[in-house]
Amino acid sequence: MSVAEIFETMEYGPAPESAAPALEWLAQHSEGFGHFMGGAWTAPGTLFLTENPATGKVLAQISQGTEADIAVAVAAASAALPGWKALGGAGRAKFLYALARQIQKHSRLFAVLETLDNGKPIRETRDIDIPLVARHFYHHAGWATLLETECAGYEAVGVCGQIIPWNFPLLMLSWKIAPALAAGCTVVLKPADLTPLTALLFAEVCAEIGLPAGVVNIVTGDGSTGAALVAHPDVQKIAFTGSTEVGRLIRKATAGTGKKLSLELGGKSPFIVFEDADLDAAVEGVVDAIWFNQGEVCCAGSRLLVQESVEERFLQKLQRRMETLRVGDPLDKATDIGAIVAPIQLARIDELVKAGVDQGAMLFQPKAACPTTGSFYPPTLLTGVSPASVVVQEEIFGPVLVAMSFRTPAEAIALANNTPYGLAASLWSESINQCLEAAPKLKAGTIWINGTNLFDAAAGFGGYRESGFGREGGKEGLWEYLVSSPLAPVRVPREARLVGLGGRNLDQTAKLYIGGKQARPDSGYSRTVLSPTGESIGVVGDGNRKDIRNAVEAARAAAAGWGGASGHNRAQILYYLAENLSYRAAEFAARITQQTGQEGTDEVEQSIAQLFIWAAWADKNDGSVHRTIQKSVVLAMPEPLGVLGVACPREQPLLGLISVVAPAIALGNVVVAVPSEAHPLSATDFYQVLETSDVPGGVVNLITGERDVLIKTLAEHDDVDGIWYFGESAALVETASVGNLKRTWCPKPGTIPRQDAFLRAATQVKNIWIPYTDELPW
Ligand code: NDP
């Protein structure tokens, strides 16, 4: 037999990992698991079963958490909070370090248990999931140590409710628990009902290392247990990973409660292969993008976009590679693709693939047989699809790749962004210029260059658009668990006294300001503005939905130009605004006095100072470079959100406008602002300053009228990317934002957020992974 023939016929022998230690651990709990609360286990309650998806066999009996269980767990977390905070970062670091060490000591047990419960191959749980879990605890032990200096002025948000899915059960737990504990929070975590086992083993590890009682509480159960956790009034922060559908429910349920929220939701991530890519490397990339973890990955590269000139060759190579993928026993070390988590998910995958084929997709699956017992699905490639096909639009969450071609890089970007999601994207080209040209144009929170599915505790992860908001990992992720302490009080003007009206009792009809032009309100109605003594001092337009739509359209048209301008350019314009405002300081001060009865000079001075501050920041919000454990550097680039709807504070009509509009535009956003409803004349005067200061049309749009009506329209608008609301009705804004899951920021009424809070609210971080060897010259 020749060497070539040996290679042709060579088969792997079985290489099974023993399940015995994990089964033994399960046998010790044969009467069923209770919940872990306040450092102790409850007796098992109403039980449900968790099964091994590879065999369908029952693994364990799990308690269904009730509202009462959640109440006990939250009480335990609340009781533990003061002590845990008081321990200080250095004290907490020791526990995080101990957790990391203990997970490493039990690493094989964790890996086998995860494979049994979830169906993913042991090769992945052993080499990827569990090492990354330990890495998260180590990394965050470091953040705990550094917290007091690196995040000075901030403190733990409080008790956190954390809800995780079934695709990376222990890894998602570590992404949630490690930063929370580092920040000084205590947690109640609910694992997915399909995969609760490693969370329960983790609870034992918490007890083993002597973690103070109540710092970590694990309550098992289904969606209703999660909903009870979301609803509990003593939970100050919800962190959720899962489907966009449930993410929407949680956004609604938390609206107006003041709870902090981070959502890591679904995706339909593009995998873009340019014609100059190393095609063989890119084929291996596809394998990691969509067949890692059976494709049950929120950021899976599930949409392959290949340049037309290499499409045929690439697909042939890919199909050849697919023939060599081994689907089967997840405990076999030579298995590439394990079992789908549960029959219900298998049925969903099958249904979506059939729908795609019915719509004309061509199906390719390798010849090798899939196991017929258990929940298995073969690696699948769908070609001949159109951008509107169900399989191109919907998250399948299984080992199914859809492929399309493109002719030009511009077309690739357009296709890549043609989804409501924005979690990740992967770019393949031997030209770094090509990749770095494309990366900023992709609407996604993570971009991998010549790589895919790379994760590390040092790099933030999270989505744009309907993939959710907030970041997990790195310093970006820490902010999710912190609040400013103490809250800065509203600054009272130096001379808050009623003064004369300065004889400016003019009767003017101010207009709206849209797209750089003064515009009459669509409603044809006006609102009379009154002085503090009830006299009419002017008339402003009463804006309506149509005006808001026009303003959003104008803002959108300006967004690319303004967001793409250099920080230096934006700074110049902000300085120019300051200069022009200072020429008219006396007039603006008199106007403030006329509207509010308060001396206005100080407010004008503060407004000019704000313009200077934000001009300074315009070219200094640098972002950072993360060093990960992979051979990559990660550029963490803060990008503007895009079109921001802003409801300005009622008080201090000029300062309230400028101190929110200036940071928004300094950081590259375009704004539709609703000025103070009671005192709108400072804003309508200010558009004359905008007009004379080279602010491009559409960058700042001002719509006067009833604040909450106008901001609700903005919050509901699908082409608005974020809302800042300085008022008392946060619930209104947060509920209305659920349509496209836009980011909302509703600081507590009566507080002025810190500058760094503005910087974070005005931007979202895109993490761009670039191959980098990090080899030193000596
Ligand atoms: P879900 O979003 O339903 O589940 C995620 C977590 O939320 C689970 O712990 C779940 O509990 C819990 N949950 C469910 N309903 C509620 C609720 N009303 N309030 C609070 N918590 C709740 O995802 P599924 O597991 O049902 O998966 C469905 C689809 O979601 C998948 O096919 C996939 O497309 C997507 N998905 C995306 C993930 C991602 O990482 N982006 C991860 C998982 C799924 P329980 O599971 O116990 O019912």
Side-chain angles (χ1 to χ4, degrees):
M1 203 185 249
S2 69
V3 172
E5 280 167 343
I6 292 172
F7 268 104
E8 277 298 310
T9 57
M10 199 162 63
E11 250 303 324
Y12 290 95
E17 171 76 30
S18 168
L23 295 176
E24 210 173 285
W25 181 76
L26 289 171
Q28 289 164 17
H29 299 89
S30 56
E31 75 290 357
F33 286 90
H35 309 292
F36 182 71
M37 312 171 175
W41 290 91
T42 62
T46 308
L47 295 168
F48 64 90
L49 304 176
T50 182
E51 290 165 3
N52 178 347
T55 61
K57 287 195 183 136
V58 172
L59 291 168
Q61 305 184 81
I62 308 295
S63 290
Q64 168 62 38
T66 61
E67 215 177 306
D69 294 322
I70 289 290
V72 175
V74 172
S78 304
L81 185 67
W84 185 243
K85 275 166 92 168
L87 208 53
R92 294 193 298 272
K94 289 186 187 143
F95 286 102
L96 284 153
Y97 175 73
L99 284 170
R101 296 285 294 143
Q102 202 71 358
I103 286 162
Q104 283 184 316
K105 283 185 216 159
H106 295 305
S107 63
R108 198 52 73 91
L109 178 59
F110 270 116
V112 174
L113 198 60
E114 195 80 300
T115 287
L116 287 174
D117 205 15
N118 168 278
K120 60 172 82 188
I122 185 74
R123 206 161 46 82
E124 292 177 7
T125 51
R126 183 196 59 195
D127 297 345
I128 298 171
D129 291 56
I130 309 305
L132 265 178
V133 169
R135 159 88 176 135
H136 267 267
F137 283 101
Y138 279 124
H139 182 77
H140 284 92
W143 276 124
T145 308
L146 301 177
L147 195 80
E148 277 114 30
T149 50
E150 289 301 301
C151 304
Y154 285 81
E155 63 181 23
V157 59
V159 173
C160 301
Q162 306 185 315
I163 300 167
I164 55 172
W166 42 257
N167 55 344
F168 291 93
L170 194 67
L171 186 59
M172 287 302 105
L173 173 149
S174 69
W175 282 25
K176 300 264 181 300
I177 290 187
L181 263 47
C185 299
T186 55
V187 305
V188 177
L189 177 131
K190 189 204 86 69
D193 59 351
L194 294 175
T195 55
L197 293 179
T198 46
L200 295 168
L201 178 59
F202 177 81
E204 285 192 2
V205 164
C206 291
E208 271 170 26
I209 64 145
L211 189 72
V215 170
V216 168
N217 305 275
I218 309 282
V219 182
T220 50
D222 60 12
S224 66
T225 317
L229 182 54
V230 169
H232 198 292
D234 296 339
V235 170
Q236 279 94 29
K237 146 97 194 171
I238 296 290
F240 171 79
T241 299
S243 60
T244 297
E245 188 191 346
V246 174
R248 281 209 168 87
L249 291 177
I250 294 179
R251 168 69 292 180
K252 273 194 197 153
T254 53
T257 61
K259 285 178 187 157
K260 273 192 108 167
L261 177 64
S262 51
L263 298 175
E264 203 267 271
L265 310 175
K268 192 76 188 177
S269 299
F271 186 105
I272 303 173
V273 181
F274 292 104
E275 60 189 356
D276 64 349
D278 175 339
L279 295 189
D280 294 308
V283 165
E284 289 311 309
V286 171
V287 171
D288 283 340
I290 188 68
W291 294 307
F292 165 61
N293 208 45
Q294 297 72 244
E296 295 165 331
V297 183
C298 48
C299 53
S302 52
R303 283 187 300 142
L304 172 64
L305 305 174
V306 194
Q307 198 148 12
E308 199 179 68
S309 49
V310 294
E311 183 191 14
E312 200 181 325
R313 200 148 54 94
F314 188 78
L315 291 180
Q316 277 168 4
K317 280 175 184 281
L318 183 62
Q319 290 179 356
R320 219 176 307 138
R321 179 68 175 90
M322 287 171 73
E323 295 289 359
T324 67
L325 290 170
R326 295 164 60 89
V327 184
D329 179 7
L331 278 175
D332 189 321
K333 289 163 199 152
T335 289
D336 296 309
I337 300 177
I340 301 298
V341 71
I344 185 178
Q345 185 65 11
L346 184 67
R348 180 183 148 80
I349 296 168
D350 196 43
E351 191 187 314
L352 276 166
V353 170
K354 285 190 176 128
V357 171
D358 285 348
Q359 288 182 344
M362 282 172 303
L363 173 103
F364 174 82
Q365 290 172 334
K367 289 191 267 311
C370 250
T372 46
T373 54
S375 299
F376 290 91
Y377 199 85
T380 299
L381 171 66
L382 295 172
T383 52
V385 292
S386 76
S389 303
V390 62
V391 285
V392 176
Q393 288 300 323
E394 288 223 7
E395 183 179 44
I396 299 175
F397 228 65
V400 182
L401 178 69
V402 291
M404 291 189 286
S405 65
F406 64 87
R407 288 193 178 153
T408 61
E411 202 186 338
I413 302 292
L415 281 170
N417 287 337
N418 183 26
T419 162
Y421 295 116
L423 201 48
S426 191
L427 291 165
W428 292 76
S429 162
E430 288 303 281
S431 158
I432 193 76
N433 293 353
Q434 175 85 273
C435 295
L436 292 179
E437 170 100 24
K441 296 177 185 154
L442 290 166
K443 293 181 185 164
T446 296
I447 312 285
W448 292 292
I449 293 178
N450 292 325
T452 189
N453 275 341
L454 297 164
F455 312 105
D456 186 47
F461 181 86
Y464 279 28
R465 306 203 280 178
E466 291 184 29
S467 290
F469 44 77
R471 294 290 178 267
E472 294 189 302
K475 194 171 181 186
E476 293 122 83
L478 266 189
W479 296 115
E480 303 293 333
Y481 292 96
L482 295 167
V483 282
S484 149
S485 62
L487 292 164
V490 173
R491 191 170 160 196
V492 180
R494 260 200 311 256
E495 289 179 76
R497 62 193 162 88
L498 230 66
V499 293
L501 298 181
R504 285 193 42 105
N505 209 352
L506 302 178
D507 183 23
Q508 300 168 325
T509 303
K511 300 201 181 65
L512 313 179
Y513 188 62
I514 299 176
K517 296 195 177 69
Q518 300 180 29
R520 286 181 209 290
D522 170 76
S523 66
Y525 284 103
S526 302
R527 301 168 71 88
T528 303
V529 183
L530 301 177
S531 74
T533 48
E535 294 155 56
S536 165
I537 51 172
V539 173
V540 294
D542 195 10
N544 69 7
R545 303 180 74 83
K546 179 82 168 61
D547 300 311
I548 290 284
R549 282 202 295 273
N550 291 343
V552 171
E553 207 177 312
R556 177 58 66 196
W562 184 250
S566 70
H568 174 74
N569 281 348
R570 292 197 293 265
Q572 298 303 297
I573 289 174
L574 282 155
Y575 283 127
Y576 199 18
L577 273 172
E579 193 183 316
N580 285 331
L581 181 58
S582 73
Y583 284 135
R584 297 172 58 177
E587 180 195 331
F588 271 86
R591 182 65 108 183
I592 291 165
T593 304
Q594 184 193 28
Q595 294 174 96
T596 65
Q598 317 239 314
E599 210 285 315
T601 312
D602 185 65
E603 187 177 329
V604 177
E605 272 170 25
Q606 286 187 52
S607 301
I608 293 167
Q610 283 291 316
L611 288 165
F612 266 82
I613 287 169
W614 293 108
W617 272 115
D619 61 354
K620 293 179 191 63
N621 192 29
D622 286 339
S624 54
V625 177
H626 297 309
R627 301 180 90 106
T628 67
I629 53 173
Q630 289 89 351
K631 287 194 177 301
S632 303
V633 282
V634 182
L635 301 185
M637 304 281 290
E639 292 187 344
L641 298 186
V643 177
L644 267 189
V646 173
C648 301
R650 183 183 186 283
E651 310 303 332
Q652 297 181 302
L654 182 67
L655 183 61
L657 174 78
I658 288 179
S659 56
V660 296
V661 169
I665 64 172
L667 278 298
N669 297 286
V670 291
V671 168
V672 178
V674 181
S676 167
E677 185 178 323
H679 315 303
L681 294 175
S682 295
T684 54
D685 288 350
F686 189 66
Y687 64 59
Q688 293 156 9
V689 180
L690 290 168
E691 275 172 340
T692 53
S693 304
D694 292 346
V695 179
V699 170
V700 179
N701 304 276
L702 301 169
I703 308 292
T704 47
E706 196 177 338
R707 182 193 65 191
D708 285 355
V709 169
L710 296 172
I711 200 70
K712 181 163 180 281
T713 306
L714 278 163
E716 286 167 348
H717 198 301
D718 266 357
D719 207 25
V720 173
D721 303 299
I723 299 284
W724 293 359
Y725 177 78
F726 291 80
E728 310 72 32
S729 311
L732 171 95
V733 170
E734 290 174 348
T735 307
S737 71
V738 79
N740 71 349
L741 283 168
K742 58 177 68 66
R743 282 140 192 75
T744 55
W745 189 41
C746 306
K748 282 207 178 97
T751 63
I752 299 174
R754 294 164 196 269
Q755 281 170 29
D756 62 328
F758 273 104
L759 291 175
R760 285 194 297 279
T763 54
Q764 54 192 338
V765 178
K766 177 181 272 179
N767 277 283
I768 305 167
W769 291 63
I770 302 173
Y772 189 76
T773 59
D774 224 357
E775 279 167 18
L776 298 171
W778 54 85

